[in-house]
Amino acid sequence: MGNRYLRRLATLFFSLFVISLLSFALIEFSPGGAMARYVENPNISQADRTRMAERFGLDRPAPLRYFIWLRNTVQGDLGTSFMTGRPVLTEILERLPATLKLMTFSFFISIIVAIPIGIYSATHRHSLFDHLAATGSFLGLSLPSFWFGLLMIYIFAIWLNWLPSGGMITPWFDPSAYPLLIRPFVIFWEHTRYLLMPAIVLSLSNIGSWSRYMRSSMLDVISQNYIQTARANGVPERKVVYKHALRNALTPLVTLMGLDLPGFFAGAVVTEQIFAWPGMGRLFISAAGNRDYQVLMGIIMITAVLVLLGNLLADLMYRFLDPRVNYEG
Amino acid sequence: MLAEILLELRNLKTKFKTYDGEVKAADGIDLTVHKKEILGIVGESGCGKSATALSIMRLIPSPPGEVHADKMELNGVELQSLTEKQLSKVRGSEISMIFQEPSSALNPAFTIGEQLIEVLILHQKLDRGAAHRQAIKALNLVQIPAATQRLADYPHQLSGGMRQRVMLAMACACMPSLLIADEPTTALDVTVQAQILELLCQLQSELNIAIMLITHDLSLVAEIAQRVAVMYAGVVVENASVRNLFAKPRHPYTQGLLASLPLLNAERERLNVIPGGVPNMLNLPKGCRFHPRCPHCWQICRQQEPPLFSQNGSEVRCWLFAREMNK
Ligand SMILES: Nc1ncnc2c1ncn2[C@@H]1O[C@H](COP(=O)(O)OP(=O)(O)OP(=O)(O)O)[C@@H](O)[C@H]1O
Ligand SMILES: [Mg+2]
């Protein structure tokens, strides 16, 4: 068992290395450069730009820069932002909680909606609900999230004026203005109303794919012999579905969730942009626009670590849910 | 000895609506199971044995299935009138069933103990501790060694024979009056088969459970059953005591089955096989279903389906007996 996880860990570090190399090369080969944004500025001369590039160490050959970056990163130093001059790690850690908050909330929405839809569709196959769910998940998967986002902003923020169109919290929000008794609810609602729209938009494609997957997984399990056994032993149908079948149907879904994680991060980038959510995704977009390479690399690496850890977690969950998977493997 | 009737099945019709047409898996089946007896049900693959068993368990999925019987009484209770809730009380406690594939018949996600204890709690309203003790008893009953440790095992940790024993333990834990065993030994190797059969006999005599043993192997039936119903293409063609059936098989199909038993004609090179194949259930021959394969076929067999003729507790669905037996 220990051996197995050592191997996983080695693979994880190797993946991180390859990801960093590829990302660095991709950034290196993309047009423009860190100094490109100053070219049009009449107050900054060519000589200034050369001096700045030297200061940032940009005049060195790319392989050397990569090794310097790698050496510093291994030591926990992700460098400084060209834009703000602040440490990259600080910039990211400031934004990471907002992204994690959005993703966690969205993840729970996805699960809470997708799993029951999948179960109901499977147990009521070819019903009206099943057809509607199929159409809905098809839409959720195929229509772009910025379109949904703008539609939701139009309906709920502009037209109905129920929810704020963007941001994470009202700047002047002051919980102490409310009586102690209702204060927790006020705080909860204050957070939720900002979260609701971006989290729903971010959930749509997950709900689409997970509910379909849950349906087919459930159908597959329901036709298994052990379900027949449970029924033949007098287990009531509700328990057959929600205990015997569900437990087995969830196992493959966990793997899918792990695989969907990168898409989830990518979705967060777009969603944060639409809803002015002050998370890592927005930082990424502005850093990409400004060619702030250190920040870009930092975000890519942190995301990669999170995705790989997420997959590790999914793997552990799978092992927990399916006793047949042996630990030696 | 006239035993009390446990299960009475009259004119069972089980149909499946498929894209290709309607399959009549059971087409007017009459069966009677007496208390504490072992009834063998024999027939080729696809003749409707499992469909009949599942119809009695009321486990035929609808759609595509449709079940109707004039009478389906267990201990005098009409099973067709029960609600889903009442049925789940009956299943596992009065009538239970084990299946052919022990490898896939237990839930892989739960331990043997969890599955066994669940059934006990469901039917006997025991608390956890009592159910746990009862579960160990049930495993001892089916002769599983080190029962207490086995409770913590997952199904994949057991051998096929052990799993079938666990299935039996679950099915018999609540002392049902009828156990339907659908080809319980087909997937097992020969020595394990013999052990499971012996166990079935023992359960029948110790717990007074009646057993409906479904198989396509007449020799199994000869070993442990008291009566046999031979099925062919959705109907019972012969129904007799084991002794009578083996001494004097009446239906040409039964005769063919007996002639093809390897044990009885070991001296012969090739086994006697019934000519022709299993009929297409979607397109059954007119008249007697067996007539295309029957060596004694005459005119009426091609035109009219024979009724069940009976005499001294034996029944046969064949025109050859129209004169000597009663309709
Ligand atoms: N769910 C179903 N849908 C459609 N047809 C079915 C279904 N279940 C059974 N059948 C059909 O009913 C007929 C009888 O099937 P059944 O399983 O009862 O046969 P069997 O005698 O148990 O055969 P075996 O020895 O192979 O188990 C077959 O022709 C089969 O194709
Ligand atoms: Mg069968």
Side-chain angles (χ1 to χ4, degrees), chain B residues 44-51 53-54 97 100 182-183 214 216:
Chain B
E44 281 165 305
S45 189
C47 69
K49 305 181 297 288
S50 298
L54 290 173
M97 181 161 176
Q100 176 173 347
D182 189 355
E183 311 206 23
I214 297 177
H216 49 245

Side-chain angles (χ1 to χ4, degrees), chain A residues 11-23:
Chain A
T11 324
L12 193 142
F13 280 112
F14 183 71
S15 315
L16 285 177
F17 171 69
V18 174
I19 290 168
S20 74
L21 199 61
L22 288 178
S23 320

Side-chain angles (χ1 to χ4, degrees), chain A residues 126 224-237 239 243-245 247-248 320-325, chain B residues 54 57 59 88 91-92 95-97 99 101 104-110 118-119 122-123 154 156 167 170-171:
Chain A
H126 304 314
Q224 298 289 316
N225 288 344
Y226 53 81
I227 295 300
Q228 188 87 293
T229 304
R231 290 188 180 131
N233 281 317
V235 179
E237 190 60 24
K239 229 173 160 191
K243 181 178 168 190
H244 290 256
R247 175 71 176 271
N248 287 283
F320 170 73
L321 284 171
D322 189 348
R324 279 170 302 181
V325 185
Chain B
L54 290 173
M57 295 295 293
L59 279 176
S88 56
R91 289 183 198 132
I95 173 170
S96 47
M97 181 161 176
F99 301 93
E101 281 293 331
S104 57
L106 287 162
N107 196 324
F110 298 97
E118 176 181 27
V119 174
L122 267 175
H123 293 300
Y154 285 97
H156 71 274
M167 289 294 296
M170 275 168 72

Side-chain angles (χ1 to χ4, degrees), chain A residues 172-180 183 186-187:
Chain A
W172 51 86
F173 175 66
D174 175 18
S176 61
Y178 298 91
L180 208 55
R183 202 175 292 164
V186 174
I187 295 174

Side-chain angles (χ1 to χ4, degrees), chain B:
Chain B
M1 183 191 81
L2 248 175
E4 265 179 274
I5 289 179
L6 174 64
L7 175 84
E8 196 175 2
L9 191 60
R10 291 285 159 257
N11 195 23
L12 169 73
K13 295 198 171 186
T14 302
K15 301 177 219 166
F16 292 103
K17 292 212 161 70
T18 67
Y19 285 113
D20 304 321
E22 205 178 67
V23 178
K24 289 182 180 145
D27 196 9
I29 287 191
D30 294 338
L31 279 179
T32 307
V33 184
H34 299 95
K35 286 195 173 149
K36 304 169 201 173
E37 82 172 338
I38 298 186
L39 169 70
I41 301 211
V42 185
E44 281 165 305
S45 189
C47 69
K49 305 181 297 288
S50 298
T52 305
L54 290 173
S55 303
I56 298 168
M57 295 295 293
R58 303 279 321 276
L59 279 176
I60 295 282
S62 162
E66 234 176 68
V67 179
H68 179 80
D70 293 346
K71 195 175 188 184
M72 192 193 284
E73 282 186 4
L74 182 77
N75 280 322
V77 177
E78 175 53 64
L79 292 174
Q80 291 175 100
S81 68
L82 298 185
T83 62
E84 201 40 55
K85 207 173 160 190
Q86 291 168 319
L87 273 172
S88 56
K89 286 214 181 88
V90 170
R91 289 183 198 132
S93 72
E94 294 194 33
I95 173 170
S96 47
M97 181 161 176
I98 61 169
F99 301 93
Q100 176 173 347
E101 281 293 331
S103 57
S104 57
L106 287 162
N107 196 324
F110 298 97
T111 61
I112 306 302
E114 285 170 317
Q115 301 185 49
L116 198 48
I117 287 170
E118 176 181 27
V119 174
L120 284 163
I121 290 180
L122 267 175
H123 293 300
Q124 306 200 332
K125 309 275 173 288
L126 300 173
D127 62 70
R128 287 226 139 247
H132 190 264
R133 283 190 295 279
Q134 203 63 40
I136 294 173
K137 266 194 207 158
L139 290 188
N140 283 330
L141 187 71
V142 296
Q143 295 157 12
I144 289 184
T148 318
Q149 285 95 295
R150 291 293 81 78
L151 284 181
D153 281 349
Y154 285 97
H156 71 274
Q157 293 168 295
L158 303 180
S159 69
M162 279 298 151
R163 283 183 216 153
Q164 197 59 291
R165 282 170 196 263
V166 172
M167 289 294 296
L168 269 172
M170 275 168 72
C172 298
C174 304
M175 311 288 165
S177 41
L178 176 64
L179 169 70
I180 302 179
D182 189 355
E183 311 206 23
T185 60
T186 312
L188 305 172
D189 59 50
V190 189
T191 44
V192 184
Q193 276 191 12
Q195 293 167 4
I196 297 286
L197 281 185
E198 198 177 312
L199 187 59
L200 279 175
C201 286
Q202 196 183 324
L203 288 173
Q204 180 252 351
S205 59
E206 279 178 21
L207 306 180
N208 294 323
I209 296 177
I211 297 177
M212 199 162 138
L213 175 69
I214 297 177
T215 172
H216 49 245
D217 186 352
L218 254 184
S219 57
L220 283 193
V221 168
E223 275 177 57
I224 72 166
Q226 281 96 52
R227 279 193 316 122
V228 199
V230 179
M231 279 183 66
Y232 186 81
V235 291
V236 174
V237 292
E238 183 158 0
N239 191 343
S241 69
V242 167
R243 182 190 297 238
N244 285 345
L245 190 102
F246 278 82
K248 192 187 174 211
R250 287 193 163 95
H251 198 281
Y253 177 63
T254 317
Q255 291 168 357
L257 279 183
L258 279 175
S260 66
L261 273 185
L263 274 177
L264 296 181
N265 41 347
E267 72 280 0
R268 274 199 225 165
E269 272 277 288
R270 266 177 61 96
L271 300 177
N272 249 330
V273 240
I274 306 168
V278 188
N280 179 359
M281 294 291 275
L282 283 167
N283 188 15
L284 286 172
K286 205 171 160 262
C288 172
R289 291 149 207 252
F290 187 61
H291 86 252
R293 299 168 78 184
C294 183
H296 311 294
C297 171
W298 47 306
Q299 214 168 4
I300 190 167
C301 303
R302 297 195 190 89
Q303 289 157 357
Q304 211 176 329
E305 169 127 53
L308 264 185
F309 297 102
S310 65
Q311 190 180 48
N312 301 337
S314 292
E315 294 174 321
V316 59
R317 192 182 286 277
C318 176
W319 286 118
L320 293 175
F321 302 89
R323 231 160 281 159
E324 58 179 278
M325 295 170 87
N326 315 314
K327 193 173 160 182

